Tab-separated table of all heavy atoms in Angstrom:
chain	number	residue	atom	x	y	z
A	35	ARG	N	2.878	-15.201	13.915
A	35	ARG	CA	4.278	-14.842	13.529
A	35	ARG	C	4.336	-13.445	13.160
A	35	ARG	O	3.551	-12.974	12.504
A	35	ARG	CB	4.608	-15.756	12.240
A	35	ARG	CG	6.109	-15.487	11.963
A	35	ARG	CD	6.349	-15.449	10.488
A	35	ARG	NE	5.529	-14.582	9.718
A	35	ARG	CZ	5.925	-13.226	9.667
A	35	ARG	NH1	6.970	-12.682	10.261
A	35	ARG	NH2	5.098	-12.305	9.098
A	36	MET	N	5.302	-12.723	13.771
A	36	MET	CA	5.646	-11.424	13.421
A	36	MET	C	7.108	-11.207	13.606
A	36	MET	O	7.841	-12.093	14.217
A	36	MET	CB	4.748	-10.487	14.343
A	36	MET	CG	4.734	-10.774	15.763
A	36	MET	SD	6.164	-10.406	16.714
A	36	MET	CE	6.052	-8.758	17.062
A	37	SER	N	7.595	-10.149	13.074
A	37	SER	CA	9.136	-9.977	13.134
A	37	SER	C	9.255	-9.309	14.625
A	37	SER	O	8.988	-8.119	14.735
A	37	SER	CB	9.578	-9.013	12.022
A	37	SER	OG	9.428	-9.671	10.761
A	39	ARG	N	11.539	-7.661	17.408
A	39	ARG	CA	12.858	-7.008	17.376
A	39	ARG	C	13.333	-6.610	18.780
A	39	ARG	O	14.132	-5.772	19.091
A	39	ARG	CB	12.560	-5.691	16.520
A	39	ARG	CG	12.358	-6.002	15.106
A	39	ARG	CD	12.348	-4.802	14.202
A	39	ARG	NE	12.107	-5.139	12.789
A	39	ARG	CZ	10.871	-5.331	12.082
A	39	ARG	NH1	9.779	-5.100	13.011
A	39	ARG	NH2	10.818	-5.639	10.939
A	110	TYR	N	18.363	-8.300	-3.133
A	110	TYR	CA	17.089	-8.517	-2.356
A	110	TYR	C	16.016	-7.547	-2.774
A	110	TYR	O	14.949	-7.872	-2.863
A	110	TYR	CB	17.331	-8.674	-0.916
A	110	TYR	CG	16.188	-9.070	-0.098
A	110	TYR	CD1	15.558	-10.236	-0.169
A	110	TYR	CD2	15.441	-8.132	0.740
A	110	TYR	CE1	14.382	-10.731	0.406
A	110	TYR	CE2	14.257	-8.521	1.357
A	110	TYR	CZ	13.724	-9.740	1.254
A	110	TYR	OH	12.702	-10.084	1.974
A	111	TYR	N	16.520	-6.332	-2.782
A	111	TYR	CA	15.477	-5.234	-3.119
A	111	TYR	C	15.791	-4.645	-4.608
A	111	TYR	O	16.958	-5.031	-5.103
A	111	TYR	CB	15.678	-4.060	-2.132
A	111	TYR	CG	15.353	-4.472	-0.762
A	111	TYR	CD1	16.254	-4.631	0.251
A	111	TYR	CD2	14.001	-4.768	-0.382
A	111	TYR	CE1	15.919	-4.964	1.519
A	111	TYR	CE2	13.581	-5.204	0.840
A	111	TYR	CZ	14.527	-5.268	1.867
A	111	TYR	OH	14.181	-5.724	3.150
A	126	ASN	N	6.318	1.351	6.385
A	126	ASN	CA	6.760	0.320	7.326
A	126	ASN	C	7.888	0.993	8.121
A	126	ASN	O	7.914	0.937	9.421
A	126	ASN	CB	7.408	-0.893	6.556
A	126	ASN	CG	7.669	-2.014	7.502
A	126	ASN	OD1	6.713	-2.556	8.064
A	126	ASN	ND2	8.842	-2.446	7.575
A	130	LEU	N	7.579	2.186	12.201
A	130	LEU	CA	8.445	1.437	13.186
A	130	LEU	C	9.222	2.569	14.002
A	130	LEU	O	9.281	2.534	15.208
A	130	LEU	CB	9.406	0.478	12.551
A	130	LEU	CG	10.364	-0.228	13.453
A	130	LEU	CD1	9.673	-1.078	14.401
A	130	LEU	CD2	11.380	-1.048	12.637
A	151	ASN	N	19.935	-4.874	14.501
A	151	ASN	CA	20.005	-5.999	13.636
A	151	ASN	C	21.238	-6.940	13.895
A	151	ASN	O	21.189	-8.106	14.000
A	151	ASN	CB	20.078	-5.624	12.065
A	151	ASN	CG	18.644	-5.403	11.535
A	151	ASN	OD1	17.862	-6.445	11.341
A	151	ASN	ND2	18.225	-4.131	11.374
A	155	PHE	N	18.991	-8.399	17.698
A	155	PHE	CA	17.848	-7.857	18.523
A	155	PHE	C	17.999	-8.541	20.035
A	155	PHE	O	16.965	-8.662	20.551
A	155	PHE	CB	16.541	-7.996	17.921
A	155	PHE	CG	16.293	-7.357	16.553
A	155	PHE	CD1	16.326	-8.049	15.413
A	155	PHE	CD2	16.342	-5.960	16.430
A	155	PHE	CE1	16.222	-7.384	14.199
A	155	PHE	CE2	16.210	-5.294	15.173
A	155	PHE	CZ	16.154	-6.147	14.103
A	181	LEU	N	12.308	-21.091	5.198
A	181	LEU	CA	12.539	-20.051	6.165
A	181	LEU	C	11.052	-19.866	6.913
A	181	LEU	O	11.016	-19.732	8.085
A	181	LEU	CB	12.967	-18.626	5.548
A	181	LEU	CG	14.310	-18.628	5.001
A	181	LEU	CD1	14.598	-17.427	4.159
A	181	LEU	CD2	15.417	-18.755	6.160
A	185	MET	N	9.849	-20.217	10.938
A	185	MET	CA	9.307	-19.170	11.706
A	185	MET	C	7.888	-19.613	12.208
A	185	MET	O	7.527	-19.256	13.374
A	185	MET	CB	9.186	-17.959	10.786
A	185	MET	CG	10.534	-17.290	10.477
A	185	MET	SD	10.496	-15.714	9.570
A	185	MET	CE	10.103	-16.182	7.927
A	196	CYS	N	12.947	-13.121	13.686
A	196	CYS	CA	13.011	-12.023	12.807
A	196	CYS	C	13.911	-12.351	11.499
A	196	CYS	O	15.034	-12.570	11.941
A	196	CYS	CB	13.495	-10.654	13.487
A	196	CYS	SG	13.334	-9.281	12.267
A	197	PRO	N	13.273	-12.513	10.432
A	197	PRO	CA	14.163	-12.762	9.311
A	197	PRO	C	14.972	-11.552	9.010
A	197	PRO	O	14.523	-10.397	9.167
A	197	PRO	CB	13.156	-13.028	8.060
A	197	PRO	CG	11.853	-12.388	8.497
A	197	PRO	CD	11.910	-12.336	10.109
A	198	GLN	N	16.175	-11.653	8.592
A	198	GLN	CA	17.042	-10.409	8.532
A	198	GLN	C	17.868	-10.492	7.192
A	198	GLN	O	18.969	-11.105	7.252
A	198	GLN	CB	18.008	-10.296	9.651
A	198	GLN	CG	17.317	-10.193	11.031
A	198	GLN	CD	18.380	-10.218	12.172
A	198	GLN	OE1	18.940	-11.203	12.606
A	198	GLN	NE2	18.832	-9.018	12.471
A	199	ALA	N	17.534	-9.536	6.306
A	199	ALA	CA	18.408	-9.355	5.263
A	199	ALA	C	19.419	-8.385	5.511
A	199	ALA	O	20.547	-8.164	4.732
A	199	ALA	CB	17.583	-8.847	3.897
A	200	ALA	N	19.340	-7.672	6.582
A	200	ALA	CA	20.399	-6.688	6.982
A	200	ALA	C	21.857	-7.219	6.966
A	200	ALA	O	22.736	-6.454	6.726
A	200	ALA	CB	19.992	-6.069	8.256
A	201	TRP	N	21.940	-8.464	7.318
A	201	TRP	CA	23.218	-9.007	7.424
A	201	TRP	C	23.906	-9.164	6.070
A	201	TRP	O	25.210	-9.365	5.974
A	201	TRP	CB	23.200	-10.446	7.921
A	201	TRP	CG	22.786	-10.525	9.446
A	201	TRP	CD1	21.499	-10.760	9.934
A	201	TRP	CD2	23.527	-10.288	10.667
A	201	TRP	NE1	21.559	-10.811	11.202
A	201	TRP	CE2	22.690	-10.517	11.713
A	201	TRP	CE3	24.918	-10.064	10.970
A	201	TRP	CZ2	23.255	-10.555	13.109
A	201	TRP	CZ3	25.398	-9.975	12.057
A	201	TRP	CH2	24.550	-10.184	13.163
A	222	CYS	N	20.319	-15.031	4.047
A	222	CYS	CA	19.944	-14.010	4.981
A	222	CYS	C	20.240	-14.594	6.378
A	222	CYS	O	20.787	-15.661	6.515
A	222	CYS	CB	18.475	-13.697	4.992
A	222	CYS	SG	17.308	-15.082	5.256
A	238	PHE	N	4.459	-3.640	17.301
A	238	PHE	CA	4.298	-3.114	15.883
A	238	PHE	C	3.815	-4.205	15.156
A	238	PHE	O	4.117	-5.292	14.827
A	238	PHE	CB	5.877	-2.855	15.290
A	238	PHE	CG	5.855	-2.307	13.901
A	238	PHE	CD1	5.099	-1.403	13.553
A	238	PHE	CD2	6.810	-2.934	13.149
A	238	PHE	CE1	5.057	-0.929	12.350
A	238	PHE	CE2	6.800	-2.385	11.800
A	238	PHE	CZ	6.059	-1.435	11.378
A	240	THR	N	2.116	-4.887	11.609
A	240	THR	CA	2.096	-4.462	10.164
A	240	THR	C	0.824	-4.825	9.439
A	240	THR	O	0.223	-5.878	9.700
A	240	THR	CB	3.298	-5.109	9.434
A	240	THR	OG1	3.246	-6.571	9.526
A	240	THR	CG2	4.613	-4.623	9.938
A	242	ARG	N	-1.745	-5.532	6.138
A	242	ARG	CA	-1.786	-6.237	4.837
A	242	ARG	C	-2.803	-5.740	4.027
A	242	ARG	O	-3.803	-5.239	4.453
A	242	ARG	CB	-1.943	-7.764	5.238
A	242	ARG	CG	-0.852	-8.432	5.961
A	242	ARG	CD	0.447	-8.452	5.195
A	242	ARG	NE	1.477	-9.387	5.788
A	242	ARG	CZ	2.288	-8.856	6.780
A	242	ARG	NH1	2.319	-7.700	7.229
A	242	ARG	NH2	3.108	-9.697	7.403
O	1	LIG	C1	13.696	-12.197	3.868
O	1	LIG	C2	13.397	-11.078	4.793
O	1	LIG	C3	14.402	-10.228	5.307
O	1	LIG	C4	14.119	-9.270	6.250
O	1	LIG	N1	15.095	-8.501	6.814
O	1	LIG	C5	14.825	-7.663	7.889
O	1	LIG	C6	15.818	-7.048	8.580
O	1	LIG	O1	17.094	-7.189	8.021
O	1	LIG	N2	15.569	-6.294	9.559
O	1	LIG	C7	14.321	-6.185	10.105
O	1	LIG	O2	14.143	-5.541	11.148
O	1	LIG	N3	13.318	-6.800	9.467
O	1	LIG	C8	13.433	-7.515	8.408
O	1	LIG	N4	12.402	-8.233	7.809
O	1	LIG	C9	11.105	-8.176	8.337
O	1	LIG	C10	10.132	-7.293	7.492
O	1	LIG	O3	10.224	-6.062	7.758
O	1	LIG	C11	8.704	-7.777	7.942
O	1	LIG	O4	8.447	-9.184	7.576
O	1	LIG	C12	7.481	-6.968	7.341
O	1	LIG	O5	7.637	-5.648	7.808
O	1	LIG	C13	6.201	-7.592	7.727
O	1	LIG	O6	6.095	-7.576	9.239
O	1	LIG	P1	5.890	-8.852	10.064
O	1	LIG	O7	7.009	-9.870	9.689
O	1	LIG	O8	5.975	-8.448	11.454
O	1	LIG	O9	4.639	-9.503	9.606
O	1	LIG	C14	12.740	-9.150	6.737
O	1	LIG	C15	11.696	-9.981	6.290
O	1	LIG	C16	12.004	-10.901	5.218
O	1	LIG	C17	10.955	-11.836	4.716
Side-chain angles (χ1 to χ4, degrees):
R35 184 218 55 80
M36 40 80 77
S37 296
R39 295 186 179 87
Y110 182 67
Y111 295 112
N126 192 62
L130 180 63
N151 272 288
F155 301 106
L181 295 169
M185 296 188 279
C196 185
Q198 297 178 278
W201 293 98
C222 67
F238 182 43
T240 52
R242 293 294 189 272

